[in-house]
Structure formats: structure tokens, C-alpha cells
Amino acid sequence: MAPPPRRPTAATEPEQAGGSGRVTLVGGGPGDPGLITVAGLAALREADVVVTDRLAPLELLAGLPASVEVIDVAKIPRGEQTSQERINQVLVEQAGLGKHVVRFKGGDPYVFGRGGEEVLALSAAGIPVRVVPGVTSSIAAPELAGIPVTHRGLTQGFTVVSGHVPPGDPRSTVDWSALAHSGTTLVVLMGVHTLHRICTGLVEHGMDPATPAATIADAGLASQQVVRATLADLPRIVKEAGIGSPAVTVIGAVAGEHLPGTGDLADQGLVR
């Protein structure tokens, strides 16, 4: 992926608000710049300021005018972080200067994107805000790997959960026992670091260790990597493959499917 044409400004010192602006939350999709929505791209091109995540399709920033300020508020797992409170503050400050601010995210703003928190903070400050949905990686990543999250005769539904806290963690609010017996596809986001505990926990709760499973890394990019295994073996296979974040894990009968023509990004013209 090509870097932005200029170095993003770090979100550090607050600025004094002095006007009335607006904020648009834009979901950029799973990674490939061709997968942003038309409305999302239009909003990005109308921005005075772009407040961006590291998982947004950053190639699109190269086409913006040099006058557009880009502020980096990346959150690196177990690394450098910009607090959500500071991000909210940046959005309010910049809009208060009378600017059109685009909050640029990967995936969809309301799917583990904390978009709801940002909308509440902006609304409380009296800032007009609009949300442009994005293609969520929870569906797109499996699809780009040739895996449908639903498929007649195999599963009648799917559940998307965060894996940042695994089964048995006191912070978890997920009923992993219920998921193990749901009979639906399980899609896990943010679960690379905890994958062993997730898979082990599901087996302990009664899920068949031979259940098909797959992990998709860098979905939608030229670096996309897919590994397939059983539920019991997936953590070992993922570790051996050297897969890191961002990655999406799919557990269930559909993970044994590989539909022809849907996993080859080059043939679809999505990877440049």
C-alpha cells in the first residue's frame, strides 16, 4: 500500500474552537481502496481535515489536495495508542474551527469501530454528524477468501464477536458456551493474540474440535493470506504461518467451503 503523500499530524495539543463545522464518519471497508462506498469517497474528497485510523485504506489519501490536514490517531494492538477520549476531543476541536472533518475508519464505524462513542461525543458538543456505513471485514474477509458466512444447507446465521478478551477472561461479556452450541457461523475479529484460548474454550464448551476453521489476514490487500484447519489445529497453523493483526477468523461448516472465483483478488481487479 502506498503511503499518504504527507506525514499525518499527530493528535497532540488541543486547538481553540472558534466556529461551527461538521463531522462525517466514513467506513473505508476492509482495506482495498476499491471497496469504499461511493458516498464514503465523496465525503473524503470534500474534507478539510481527515482523522484517520491505521486500518483505513490510506492509498485514498494520496488523491486529496495538499491543503487537507491528515491527523493520525492510530491504535496499534499492544503498542502506540491514541485514547478514544482524545480522538473525540480532536473531532470536536477541529469541527469547532468551522471545518468539515472526516473520521476515516477501516471496516464499518459501528462494527467494533467505536463510531457510536464518537457520535455521542459530537452530539453532546452540538456538532452535526453524519455516518457513512462501510463494508465490514467480518463479512468481506471471509468472502474475499471464498467463504460465505451463510450457505443454504450448512448454516442459517452467523455471529460476530470481538476476540480481544477470550473465554474465561473476567472482562468478557460473551457467552462462549452458547456460541459453541449455536449451530451458526462464528466470526471473530481482533482475535489473533487470543486465538489459542478462544479455540480451546470453544472445544471445552462442547464444540467439535474437527469443526472447519479459517483465518484471513490482510483481507482485500495484495498481502492477503488465508490458512485453513480444524478448530483444534488452527492456533498452531496460524502461529506457524506467522499471521498477525489484522485478521479475521471464521469457525463453522462454511469455513470448509472455497467457492471458485471469489478468493482470487487479482482476477477481480481489486488488488493493484
Side-chain angles (χ1 to χ4, degrees), residues 211-224:
T211 300
T215 295
I216 305 101
D218 292 343
L221 303 178
S223 55
Q224 177 173 303

PDB file of all heavy atoms in Angstrom, residues 211-224:
ATOM      1  N   THR A 211     -14.298 -29.151  13.793  1.00  0.00           N
ATOM      2  CA  THR A 211     -15.043 -28.114  13.074  1.00  0.00           C
ATOM      3  C   THR A 211     -14.113 -27.339  12.142  1.00  0.00           C
ATOM      4  O   THR A 211     -13.032 -26.903  12.554  1.00  0.00           O
ATOM      5  CB  THR A 211     -15.691 -27.128  14.071  1.00  0.00           C
ATOM      6  OG1 THR A 211     -16.589 -27.846  14.916  1.00  0.00           O
ATOM      7  CG2 THR A 211     -16.439 -26.032  13.346  1.00  0.00           C
ATOM      8  N   PRO A 212     -14.496 -27.146  10.876  1.00  0.00           N
ATOM      9  CA  PRO A 212     -13.641 -26.360   9.971  1.00  0.00           C
ATOM     10  C   PRO A 212     -13.465 -24.928  10.479  1.00  0.00           C
ATOM     11  O   PRO A 212     -14.379 -24.336  11.056  1.00  0.00           O
ATOM     12  CB  PRO A 212     -14.428 -26.372   8.651  1.00  0.00           C
ATOM     13  CG  PRO A 212     -15.306 -27.572   8.736  1.00  0.00           C
ATOM     14  CD  PRO A 212     -15.674 -27.704  10.184  1.00  0.00           C
ATOM     15  N   ALA A 213     -12.287 -24.396  10.254  1.00  0.00           N
ATOM     16  CA  ALA A 213     -11.976 -23.027  10.679  1.00  0.00           C
ATOM     17  C   ALA A 213     -10.963 -22.421   9.713  1.00  0.00           C
ATOM     18  O   ALA A 213     -10.214 -23.141   9.041  1.00  0.00           O
ATOM     19  CB  ALA A 213     -11.435 -23.008  12.104  1.00  0.00           C
ATOM     20  N   ALA A 214     -10.950 -21.113   9.643  1.00  0.00           N
ATOM     21  CA  ALA A 214     -10.014 -20.411   8.765  1.00  0.00           C
ATOM     22  C   ALA A 214      -9.693 -19.052   9.351  1.00  0.00           C
ATOM     23  O   ALA A 214     -10.523 -18.449  10.039  1.00  0.00           O
ATOM     24  CB  ALA A 214     -10.594 -20.252   7.364  1.00  0.00           C
ATOM     25  N   THR A 215      -8.493 -18.568   9.079  1.00  0.00           N
ATOM     26  CA  THR A 215      -8.098 -17.209   9.460  1.00  0.00           C
ATOM     27  C   THR A 215      -7.626 -16.484   8.214  1.00  0.00           C
ATOM     28  O   THR A 215      -6.819 -17.019   7.443  1.00  0.00           O
ATOM     29  CB  THR A 215      -6.995 -17.224  10.522  1.00  0.00           C
ATOM     30  OG1 THR A 215      -7.511 -17.795  11.736  1.00  0.00           O
ATOM     31  CG2 THR A 215      -6.505 -15.818  10.818  1.00  0.00           C
ATOM     32  N   ILE A 216      -8.148 -15.275   8.026  1.00  0.00           N
ATOM     33  CA  ILE A 216      -7.804 -14.453   6.856  1.00  0.00           C
ATOM     34  C   ILE A 216      -7.095 -13.201   7.345  1.00  0.00           C
ATOM     35  O   ILE A 216      -7.649 -12.432   8.138  1.00  0.00           O
ATOM     36  CB  ILE A 216      -9.067 -14.056   6.066  1.00  0.00           C
ATOM     37  CG1 ILE A 216      -9.876 -15.290   5.679  1.00  0.00           C
ATOM     38  CG2 ILE A 216      -8.672 -13.251   4.826  1.00  0.00           C
ATOM     39  CD1 ILE A 216     -11.068 -15.555   6.561  1.00  0.00           C
ATOM     40  N   ALA A 217      -5.869 -12.999   6.895  1.00  0.00           N
ATOM     41  CA  ALA A 217      -5.099 -11.813   7.271  1.00  0.00           C
ATOM     42  C   ALA A 217      -5.018 -10.852   6.095  1.00  0.00           C
ATOM     43  O   ALA A 217      -4.975 -11.270   4.936  1.00  0.00           O
ATOM     44  CB  ALA A 217      -3.688 -12.220   7.700  1.00  0.00           C
ATOM     45  N   ASP A 218      -5.010  -9.550   6.383  1.00  0.00           N
ATOM     46  CA  ASP A 218      -4.871  -8.506   5.355  1.00  0.00           C
ATOM     47  C   ASP A 218      -5.891  -8.658   4.239  1.00  0.00           C
ATOM     48  O   ASP A 218      -5.572  -8.541   3.053  1.00  0.00           O
ATOM     49  CB  ASP A 218      -3.457  -8.516   4.758  1.00  0.00           C
ATOM     50  CG  ASP A 218      -2.401  -8.085   5.743  1.00  0.00           C
ATOM     51  OD1 ASP A 218      -2.759  -7.479   6.770  1.00  0.00           O
ATOM     52  OD2 ASP A 218      -1.209  -8.361   5.505  1.00  0.00           O
ATOM     53  N   ALA A 219      -7.136  -8.912   4.612  1.00  0.00           N
ATOM     54  CA  ALA A 219      -8.180  -9.138   3.615  1.00  0.00           C
ATOM     55  C   ALA A 219      -8.302  -7.957   2.656  1.00  0.00           C
ATOM     56  O   ALA A 219      -8.316  -6.800   3.067  1.00  0.00           O
ATOM     57  CB  ALA A 219      -9.518  -9.381   4.305  1.00  0.00           C
ATOM     58  N   GLY A 220      -8.381  -8.266   1.382  1.00  0.00           N
ATOM     59  CA  GLY A 220      -8.559  -7.235   0.375  1.00  0.00           C
ATOM     60  C   GLY A 220      -7.284  -6.583  -0.107  1.00  0.00           C
ATOM     61  O   GLY A 220      -7.317  -5.727  -0.987  1.00  0.00           O
ATOM     62  N   LEU A 221      -6.138  -6.981   0.458  1.00  0.00           N
ATOM     63  CA  LEU A 221      -4.854  -6.417   0.051  1.00  0.00           C
ATOM     64  C   LEU A 221      -4.050  -7.453  -0.724  1.00  0.00           C
ATOM     65  O   LEU A 221      -4.341  -8.657  -0.691  1.00  0.00           O
ATOM     66  CB  LEU A 221      -4.063  -5.955   1.276  1.00  0.00           C
ATOM     67  CG  LEU A 221      -4.762  -4.929   2.173  1.00  0.00           C
ATOM     68  CD1 LEU A 221      -3.881  -4.603   3.370  1.00  0.00           C
ATOM     69  CD2 LEU A 221      -5.105  -3.665   1.398  1.00  0.00           C
ATOM     70  N   ALA A 222      -3.007  -6.990  -1.412  1.00  0.00           N
ATOM     71  CA  ALA A 222      -2.140  -7.916  -2.150  1.00  0.00           C
ATOM     72  C   ALA A 222      -1.466  -8.911  -1.214  1.00  0.00           C
ATOM     73  O   ALA A 222      -1.088 -10.007  -1.622  1.00  0.00           O
ATOM     74  CB  ALA A 222      -1.085  -7.124  -2.928  1.00  0.00           C
ATOM     75  N   SER A 223      -1.338  -8.531   0.058  1.00  0.00           N
ATOM     76  CA  SER A 223      -0.697  -9.394   1.055  1.00  0.00           C
ATOM     77  C   SER A 223      -1.676 -10.353   1.720  1.00  0.00           C
ATOM     78  O   SER A 223      -1.316 -11.026   2.695  1.00  0.00           O
ATOM     79  CB  SER A 223      -0.019  -8.541   2.131  1.00  0.00           C
ATOM     80  OG  SER A 223      -0.951  -7.644   2.712  1.00  0.00           O
ATOM     81  N   GLN A 224      -2.913 -10.424   1.224  1.00  0.00           N
ATOM     82  CA  GLN A 224      -3.901 -11.308   1.841  1.00  0.00           C
ATOM     83  C   GLN A 224      -3.369 -12.727   1.979  1.00  0.00           C
ATOM     84  O   GLN A 224      -2.766 -13.268   1.067  1.00  0.00           O
ATOM     85  CB  GLN A 224      -5.191 -11.326   1.019  1.00  0.00           C
ATOM     86  CG  GLN A 224      -6.242 -12.289   1.557  1.00  0.00           C
ATOM     87  CD  GLN A 224      -7.568 -12.177   0.842  1.00  0.00           C
ATOM     88  OE1 GLN A 224      -8.144 -11.094   0.801  1.00  0.00           O
ATOM     89  NE2 GLN A 224      -8.050 -13.266   0.269  1.00  0.00           N
TER      90      GLN A 224
END
